[in-house]
């Protein structure tokens, strides 16, 4: 692997992360208001399309040999082996949000629920898995290629960065909430990274990521924006356990 290609992937990863966190460039020209849907969702979804197109062109021109894992092989077996675990985590997340947001005080339109609770999360899953697992994890793995534990190191470091990146979404909230959010997203990142390494298929973490995220749909029915203590007390232990499980899976059968 040429040093120039690794640098190119590092730059692309940073640019995508910056664009996702800031909403740039869409925040400067996308302002669409439909029904009761928060306009920011249209801005972010347009940005996802821009990011996807940019990444495709960049990889095609500068890193055509880079393997992301958008393939059929490994998907069916991966879903059979890990899909149930992902579904259980999603159900636990839904229960945590449901009890933490009750009673519900909003009556959203169907369009709002579909856009904010479903369609938006398709973009989140694709873009985050593209640059966190498809780019960053593989980049770290190649940097530690001489180590026997290169995959484990890559999964841990990419999960830690994935967790730290979620701090921006909870800034201003109590320290316990911020810490809880980071811990659970690190555990989530460990699981996504593990199943990606076990299957070499990026569609699998994308599907599981979407399934877990879409279980936050109760937010469409509540005016609460943060995380209740009860929500954290359910969801954090679930992802700590999931993170430990993922670590052990990688340790017992290195990839």
């Amino acid at each position: 692997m040429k040093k120039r290609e690794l640098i190119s992937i590092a730059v692309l990863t940073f640019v995508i992360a910056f664009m996702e966190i800031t909403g740039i460039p869409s925040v400067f020209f996308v302002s669409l208001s439909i029904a009761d849907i928060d306009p920011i969702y249209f801005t972010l979804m347009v940005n996802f399309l821009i990011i996807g197109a940019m990444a495709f062109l960049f990889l095609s021109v500068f890193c055509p040999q880079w393997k992301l894992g958008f393939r059929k092989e490994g998907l069916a077996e991966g879903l059979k082996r890990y899909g149930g675990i992902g579904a259980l985590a999603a159900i636990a997340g839904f229960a945590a949000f449901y009890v933490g947001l009750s009673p519900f005080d909003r009556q959203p339109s169907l369009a709002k629920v579909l856009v904010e609770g479903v369609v938006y999360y398709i973009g989140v899953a694709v873009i985050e898995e593209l640059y966190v697992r498809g780019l960053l994890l593989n980049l770290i793995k190649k940097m530690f290629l001489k180590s026997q534990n290169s995959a484990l190191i890559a999964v841990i470091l990419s999960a830690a960065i994935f967790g730290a990146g979620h701090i921006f979404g909870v800034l201003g909230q109590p320290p316990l909430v911020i810490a809880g959010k980071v811990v659970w997203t690190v555990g989530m990142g460990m699981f996504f990274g593990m199943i990606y390494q076990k299957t070499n298929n990026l569609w699998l973490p994308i599907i599981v990521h979407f399934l877990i995220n879409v279980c936050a749909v109760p937010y469409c029915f509540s005016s609460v924006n943060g995380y209740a203590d009860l929500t954290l007390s359910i969801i954090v232990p679930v992802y700590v356990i999931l993170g430990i499980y993922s670590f052990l899976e990688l340790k017992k059968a290195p990839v």
Side-chain angles (χ1 to χ4, degrees), residues 71-87 191-192 194-208 211 245 249:
R71 61 197 193 107
K72 294 180 181 179
E73 293 79 4
L75 179 57
E77 182 62 29
L79 285 172
K80 185 185 299 183
R81 186 171 181 181
Y82 302 111
I85 298 172
F191 183 60
F192 295 157
M194 182 273 289
I195 61 178
Y196 177 51
Q197 287 300 291
K198 290 289 186 177
T199 63
N200 289 315
N201 189 300
L202 194 60
W203 288 117
L204 183 59
I206 287 174
I207 291 169
V208 177
L211 182 63
Y245 161 74
E249 278 287 294

Side-chain angles (χ1 to χ4, degrees), residues 129-188:
E129 292 310 307
L130 166 66
Y131 80 87
V132 179
R133 254 60 66 175
L135 298 178
L136 179 61
L137 189 154
N138 281 324
L139 176 63
I140 297 172
K141 186 177 179 180
K142 291 180 188 301
M143 290 171 63
F144 288 90
L145 199 57
K146 294 182 179 180
S147 170
Q148 277 189 318
N149 297 313
S150 60
L152 179 60
I153 293 169
V155 170
I156 292 173
L157 291 180
S158 62
I161 294 170
F162 180 65
H166 282 77
I167 291 176
F168 297 99
V170 288
L171 288 177
Q173 296 194 34
L176 185 61
V177 172
I178 296 174
K181 180 70 173 181
V182 171
V183 169
W184 109 47
T185 47
V186 168
M188 187 188 299

Side-chain angles (χ1 to χ4, degrees), residues 236-251:
V236 171
V238 167
Y239 284 103
V240 168
I241 293 170
L242 200 59
I244 294 171
Y245 161 74
S246 302
F247 176 84
L248 295 175
E249 278 287 294
L250 287 165
K251 281 291 287 183

